[in-house]
């Protein structure tokens, strides 16, 4: 049997097994790394770039969620450069995000809000065009506020890769890219399972449980394991 390999994280030697990413090794060792597009239920995506780390001998920071750990690596997860880059990423996301945390359904349970606060990201650093799209309630159980979407792809990936419903997909290009059902069948509400996995995957207030709106902010609500009224199968994700 081969002995586990080791990498050095912030000066401490950590063992890992083959196939693990740097993010997985760090989290396994209790080293926190900020993420927005990562979801343990999904394949690594590498979209948000918040999980960047420095690796000795590599000139540019790399996304830890998509970089495999290799024996002998020396990884730094916190530095002034990483903090500056993460803050800039957050400020770019906030440049096209409504300033309504005070009354947002996801307040207190929003990955973007939490990280923006932690890194001191400013809403007004990159003023420019913003989406001004209407709230969508064409799904009877899920409210979609596209202006709050950060295009992390978690909802579309979980719908297509885990639930296999194929209800939503990222559509359009560039500034207009967003999750939608615009391709018509099979990507339409007709094959939505109403499982709520997309809501559970959303790190912001873009997708919320319609029935729960106005009944208490997500961060104030105590969650209990139960069988929800969507499908009755008892997946216990809510
Ligand atoms: Fe790694 Fe988003 S969590 S790039």
């Amino acid at each position: 049997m081969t002995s586990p390999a080791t990498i050095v994280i912030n000066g401490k030697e950590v063992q890992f097994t083959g196939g693990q990413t740097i993010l997985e090794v760090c989290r396994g060792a209790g080293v926190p790394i900020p993420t927005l597009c990562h979801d343990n239920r999904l394949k690594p995506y590498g979209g948000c770039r918040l999980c960047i780390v420095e690796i000795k001998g590599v000139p540019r920071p790399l996304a830890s969620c998509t970089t495999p750990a290799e024996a002998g690596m020396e990884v730094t997860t916190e530095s002034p450069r990483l903090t500056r880059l993460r803050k800039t990423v957050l400020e770019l996301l906030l440049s096209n995000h409504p300033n309504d945390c005070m009354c947002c359904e996801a307040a207190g349970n929003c990955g973007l809000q939490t990280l923006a606060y932690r890194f001191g990201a400013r809403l007004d650093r990159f003023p420019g065009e913003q989406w001004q799209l209407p709230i969508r309630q064409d799904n009877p159980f899920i409210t979609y506020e596209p202006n709050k979407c950060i295009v992390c792809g978690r909802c579309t990936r979980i719908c297509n890769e885990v639930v296999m419903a194929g209800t939503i997909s990222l559509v359009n290009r560039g500034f207009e890219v967003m999750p939608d059902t615009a391709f018509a069948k099979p990507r339409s509400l007709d094959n939505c399972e109403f499982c709520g996995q997309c809501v559970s995957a959303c790190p912001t207030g873009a997708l919320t449980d319609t029935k729960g709106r106005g009944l208490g902010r997500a961060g104030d609500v105590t969650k209990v394991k139960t069988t929800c009224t969507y499908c009755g199968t008892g997946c216990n994700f809510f």
Side-chain angles (χ1 to χ4, degrees):
M1 196 169 115
T2 54
S3 54
T6 60
I7 62 174
V8 175
I9 301 172
N10 300 334
K12 281 194 187 149
E13 213 165 78
V14 175
Q15 291 188 337
F16 72 98
T17 51
Q20 282 189 295
T21 63
I22 294 176
L23 178 66
E24 287 169 333
V25 179
C26 287
R27 289 197 166 165
V31 177
I33 293 186
T35 60
L36 278 177
C37 72
H38 186 75
D39 188 312
N40 288 336
R41 295 167 287 178
L42 299 167
K43 283 188 226 145
Y45 187 57
C48 73
R49 316 313 282 183
L50 280 164
C51 69
I52 49 174
V53 293
E54 291 170 342
I55 299 168
K56 192 172 177 186
V58 178
R60 284 181 303 136
L62 296 180
S64 62
C65 69
T66 53
T67 306
E70 287 176 19
M73 272 180 169
E74 289 184 38
V75 177
T76 301
T77 64
E78 302 289 340
S79 72
R81 175 167 74 154
L82 291 174
T83 297
R84 179 173 49 80
L85 291 171
R86 287 170 179 155
K87 185 178 173 191
T88 298
V89 167
L90 291 164
E91 286 171 333
L92 286 166
L93 290 173
L94 291 173
S95 71
N96 182 24
H97 197 85
N99 181 10
D100 71 347
C101 290
M102 290 288 282
C103 56
C104 178
E105 276 298 314
N109 191 33
C110 170
L112 180 61
Q113 182 190 40
T114 301
L115 291 176
Y117 179 72
R118 176 174 150 199
F119 285 91
R122 292 180 56 86
L123 275 166
D124 56 357
R125 178 160 169 213
F126 298 110
E129 197 178 351
Q130 292 200 336
W131 290 352
Q132 302 290 344
L133 299 165
I135 293 178
R136 299 246 312 256
Q137 289 189 310
D138 41 1
N139 184 305
F141 299 108
I142 297 167
T143 297
Y144 176 30
E145 297 189 54
N147 298 335
K148 294 181 180 173
C149 175
I150 58 168
V151 200
C152 65
R154 283 167 62 169
C155 59
T156 58
R157 286 184 289 141
I158 208 154
C159 182
N160 291 284
E161 295 170 19
V162 177
V163 183
M164 311 289 274
T167 307
I168 48 176
S169 178
L170 290 178
V171 300
N172 303 330
R173 288 274 184 260
F175 184 65
E176 304 297 332
V177 72
M178 67 187 70
D180 208 336
T181 55
F183 291 151
K185 285 183 181 176
R187 298 191 193 285
S188 81
L189 271 184
D190 288 352
N191 53 3
C192 178
E193 304 280 351
F194 307 117
C195 63
Q197 298 280 11
C198 56
V199 178
S200 76
C202 180
T204 70
L207 289 168
T208 50
D209 172 13
T210 300
K211 304 278 183 201
R213 287 177 73 85
L215 299 179
R217 295 173 303 169
D220 297 334
V221 172
T222 304
K223 293 190 178 179
V224 294
K225 289 211 164 188
T226 182
T227 302
C228 66
T229 52
Y230 288 5
C231 63
T233 56
C235 64
N236 284 322
F237 270 114
F238 278 92

